Amino acid sequence: MSSAPGFLCGYFCLAGRAAARRRSLLLCQRAAAAAASSALPGLPLLGGARRRLLALRGLSPAARCAAAGRGAAAAAAAGGAGPCAPRRRGCGGLGAAGGGFRPSRVAVVVKTTRYEFEQQRYRYAGLSEEDLKQLLALKGSNYAGLLERHRIHTKNVEHVVDSLRNERIEVRLVKRREYNEETVRWADAVISAGGDGTMLLAASKVFDKFKPVIGVNTDPERSEGHLCLPVRYTHSFPEALQKLYRGEFRWQWRQRIRLYLEGTGINPAPVDLHEQQLSQEQHSRAHINERFQDQRSDISGPHLLPVRALNEVFIGESLSSRASYYEISVDDGPWEKQKSSGLNVCTGTGSKAWSYNINKIAHQAVEEILKIAEKHGSFNVPLDMELVQKVTNDYNESLLYSPEEPKMFFSIREPIVNRVFSSSRQRGFSSKVCVRSRCWDACMVVDGGTSFEFNDGAIASIMIDTEDALCTVLLEE
């Protein structure tokens, strides 16, 4: 109980530092944006501008932001572009005259709706639409509702495609399973038509830092679409295109996580979870099949995996009720044996997703802790719901950070602490996390869509390289 004053002191210190950091970054970003406003966003990076961008990698977020602002101002004075503009790619139109962004070829990646999934699921059983309707009713699903959501999604996809073609932009419409590296190479930009899951899938195959990926939420009533354009552009996509042409937007480079895998008996072949609704047994069998098909499974040296995490990386046993056993080293520190419900490592983008829900604190918990502190005479502020609300909100907001910051946030889920296992840090920011598996049937899952086998003897090195950043677009509401 005596730890309550320490918690409160730690909370207020953390909240104060987080608020100061946010204010500092906000002022810095505003200054950089003002300096870059007169530049032509989208022009190619040439000569010194290109070198300045590479030089920024080693700076702190504040210093990098300030340097970007100076570079943009200097480039504007010389009639060029700032250091944060995508390069020109031939006839693709990146960096077109006038400072806007006008692609010639766009790949539109379309999600599979629940209605389509159920159709595909029972296709080989030869079910009619009426049979499907009755089967869904038995499962408690609303056939009419699924069909209506499918029609809404389809209508919005058609709106996006028609808007692009009306601007004489060549469009390639692809479903999830048709989306591949060749499609990415063909396109000047990629548009995801779905929700956040579709955006994560679209981003997963883009490794060119200067190829924009833009999300459109095609069912705003049922999908949050945090990674997508504001909802208004779902129904007025031509307006979004015109803003892109006029340069009325900001490029945002969302940092991503890269993964190296090494050790004994590792299997660098991924299992795609986007199109497979796998049971735990099927998931394990898929990994075994991939191992036999991939001749590289016996390599022991560090192997860079062919995927980047936009949201997070999760490591844990496939069977959720089984404790995950591993060793962890943070920022090249000492190795620590741990048992927990798994490890989550996120980016600034992912700090609003799973990581936030792992670490956020509820009003009830804050109220109970403050009451304990008050009981011990260590808390002299009047306790009311307004204070509880403020403390809760400030703490939870301190868990969030900018998608452009090149750092990670790790979280140990439900750590087991006893005389054998410890957890000196349950959460925190880091630049590198290394994990050695002691698990029996574990996996390393990237953005909930790509899984790698991660069993006893495998070692994962998790880090951020700014060259892996994903180019996205910010439009005003």
Side-chain angles (χ1 to χ4, degrees):
M1 297 301 183
S2 61
S3 63
F7 165 82
L8 292 173
C9 180
Y11 156 72
F12 286 115
C13 289
L14 176 62
R17 288 197 300 269
R21 183 173 64 252
R22 288 196 300 271
R23 287 194 298 269
S24 176
L25 286 175
L26 180 59
L27 290 173
C28 176
Q29 290 167 356
R30 286 176 177 172
S37 62
S38 59
L40 300 179
L43 289 181
L45 285 172
L46 299 175
R50 173 73 173 175
R51 290 191 295 272
R52 284 195 299 274
L53 176 59
L54 296 176
L56 292 177
R57 292 178 55 188
L59 300 180
S60 67
R64 183 168 53 256
C65 186
R70 290 194 299 271
C84 297
R87 62 191 173 190
R88 186 187 300 273
R89 297 184 66 255
C91 61
L94 292 180
F101 168 53
R102 184 183 291 269
S104 297
R105 296 179 297 188
V106 171
V108 179
V109 184
V110 184
K111 79 171 183 179
T112 299
T113 65
R114 173 72 186 281
Y115 171 76
E116 290 175 309
F117 172 76
E118 295 292 351
Q119 272 193 325
Q120 296 168 7
R121 188 178 185 183
Y122 298 107
R123 182 195 316 164
Y124 299 108
L127 295 183
S128 65
E129 280 294 303
E130 186 60 31
D131 293 333
L132 178 61
K133 182 177 181 179
Q134 294 179 7
L135 181 60
L136 291 174
L138 289 174
K139 296 197 303 179
S141 297
N142 186 334
Y143 171 86
L146 294 181
L147 183 58
E148 177 62 19
R149 304 322 304 179
H150 171 73
R151 287 172 175 167
I152 291 173
H153 160 76
T154 302
K155 179 180 178 181
N156 288 328
V157 170
E158 291 174 351
H159 172 65
V160 170
V161 173
D162 290 345
S163 301
L164 292 168
R165 287 175 174 161
N166 288 340
E167 295 292 329
R168 301 183 182 277
I169 296 174
E170 188 177 354
V171 178
R172 183 180 291 186
L173 192 66
V174 294
K175 284 287 191 179
R176 281 175 174 263
R177 64 182 60 193
E178 302 163 349
Y179 182 51
N180 53 34
E181 288 75 11
E182 188 279 326
T183 299
V184 174
R185 287 192 298 270
W186 170 86
D188 298 320
V190 177
I191 292 179
S192 72
D196 287 337
T198 310
M199 178 67 176
L200 292 173
L201 170 69
S204 68
K205 298 186 185 300
V206 177
F207 293 93
D208 184 348
K209 181 179 180 179
F210 300 96
K211 180 164 294 187
V213 180
I214 302 170
V216 177
N217 188 349
T218 55
D219 192 0
E221 293 182 10
R222 297 296 179 89
S223 175
E224 178 66 25
H226 172 70
L227 300 177
C228 301
L229 295 179
V231 171
R232 60 173 291 190
Y233 298 113
T234 297
H235 307 294
S236 58
F237 195 69
E239 181 182 350
L241 287 177
Q242 293 305 315
K243 286 192 172 185
L244 291 176
Y245 296 164
R246 294 192 299 264
E248 297 175 2
F249 65 93
R250 183 174 81 82
W251 295 114
Q252 182 178 53
W253 269 266
R254 293 179 178 269
Q255 299 298 324
R256 295 192 288 182
I257 295 173
R258 64 165 51 188
L259 300 156
Y260 290 90
L261 192 60
E262 60 183 304
T264 58
I266 68 171
N267 177 20
V271 170
D272 187 357
L273 304 181
H274 283 294
E275 287 294 338
Q276 303 184 54
Q277 301 294 320
L278 302 178
S279 66
Q280 188 264 335
E281 180 182 359
Q282 290 171 323
H283 183 265
S284 299
R285 191 181 305 127
H287 276 302
I288 293 173
N289 292 339
E290 290 286 353
R291 186 188 307 133
F292 282 112
Q293 293 171 10
D294 197 307
Q295 299 301 315
R296 298 171 297 171
S297 60
D298 59 347
I299 59 178
S300 58
H303 180 75
L304 178 60
L305 298 182
V307 67
R308 302 291 182 270
L310 180 57
N311 260 1
E312 76 273 311
V313 176
F314 173 75
I315 293 176
E317 286 280 358
S318 299
L319 188 62
S320 60
S321 60
R322 181 185 295 156
S324 301
Y325 177 24
Y326 54 87
E327 297 172 34
I328 182 172
S329 168
V330 178
D331 291 334
D332 294 320
W335 289 89
E336 184 177 53
K337 290 183 179 180
Q338 290 187 349
K339 269 192 176 182
S340 70
S341 296
L343 166 70
N344 180 290
V345 183
C346 78
T347 63
T349 297
S351 68
K352 293 184 177 181
W354 191 3
S355 174
Y356 178 78
N357 289 289
I358 291 174
N359 296 291
K360 70 179 181 180
I361 190 169
H363 296 99
Q364 181 181 354
V366 172
E367 183 179 9
E368 291 173 357
I369 291 173
L370 293 179
K371 284 181 178 178
I372 293 173
E374 188 177 42
K375 177 182 176 181
H376 285 266
S378 303
F379 190 68
N380 298 321
V381 179
L383 180 59
D384 55 34
M385 288 310 298
E386 183 179 351
L387 175 64
V388 171
Q389 180 82 27
K390 184 179 183 339
V391 171
T392 304
N393 292 344
D394 286 355
Y395 177 81
N396 290 339
E397 287 177 8
S398 73
L399 301 171
L400 308 177
Y401 63 105
S402 169
E404 295 181 286
E405 287 195 63
K407 63 182 181 181
M408 305 180 298
F409 188 83
F410 72 91
S411 308
I412 311 298
R413 297 178 64 210
E414 303 164 341
I416 297 173
V417 180
N418 52 35
R419 64 182 181 83
V420 178
F421 298 100
S422 61
S423 180
S424 58
R425 293 179 65 193
Q426 187 171 342
R427 67 182 67 86
F429 291 104
S430 66
S431 59
K432 180 182 180 182
V433 175
C434 293
V435 183
R436 179 185 289 118
S437 176
R438 298 302 182 201
C439 298
W440 291 101
D441 183 23
C443 54
M444 181 166 59
V445 181
V446 179
D447 286 340
T450 305
S451 175
F452 296 88
E453 184 178 357
F454 192 66
N455 292 325
D456 191 21
I459 302 173
S461 297
I462 307 169
M463 62 193 72
I464 281 183
D465 188 318
T466 54
E467 288 303 303
D468 296 328
L470 182 74
C471 180
T472 59
V473 167
L474 287 182
L475 288 181
E476 295 181 357
E477 290 282 356

